[in-house]
Amino acid sequence: ATTPEPSAPSTPAAPPGATAGLPLMDEKDPTAGALGYINDGTKVDKVKYPKYADGQNCSNCALYQGAAGSAQGGCPLYPGKNVWAKAWCSAYAKKAA
Ligand code: SF4
């Protein structure tokens, strides 16, 4: 039998419907503050969060619900909000490859 050609991947830019249109997390939100959420994951305070490693951000966190390549998406820790793909918080858990 011949193997059918894999269908072309859909565009990764479209945000997932489940999290589209949600307001973005505010760093000043009490929940964000408690978990050290920061919009720019390259600016994490490494003294305060020694477990942070370069390159970590929401887009490669196991909890991030945005589609691959999306700029923002949901996170179960912040219900009703979107987080930036480039953000980070202390609940970061590396996504399995
Ligand atoms: Fe980002 Fe992961 Fe923290 Fe959610 S748990 S805000 S996806 S780093």
Side-chain angles (χ1 to χ4, degrees):
T2 54
T3 308
E5 286 287 312
S7 55
S10 56
T11 53
T19 56
L22 293 177
L24 271 166
M25 266 303 294
D26 185 339
E27 288 176 350
K28 296 182 186 67
D29 182 290
T31 312
L35 287 170
Y37 175 86
I38 183 167
N39 285 327
D40 185 345
T42 66
K43 298 212 167 74
V44 174
D45 183 338
K46 294 181 185 174
V47 175
K48 200 169 172 187
Y49 301 105
K51 72 168 203 162
Y52 169 81
D54 286 339
Q56 292 182 354
N57 58 37
C58 295
S59 73
N60 53 42
C61 173
L63 281 75
Y64 184 63
Q65 297 175 328
S70 58
Q72 54 181 263
C75 171
L77 294 185
Y78 309 105
K81 300 278 175 62
N82 270 345
V83 297
W84 285 111
K86 299 254 180 289
W88 184 89
C89 89
S90 63
Y92 176 88
K94 189 171 166 44
K95 182 159 46 180

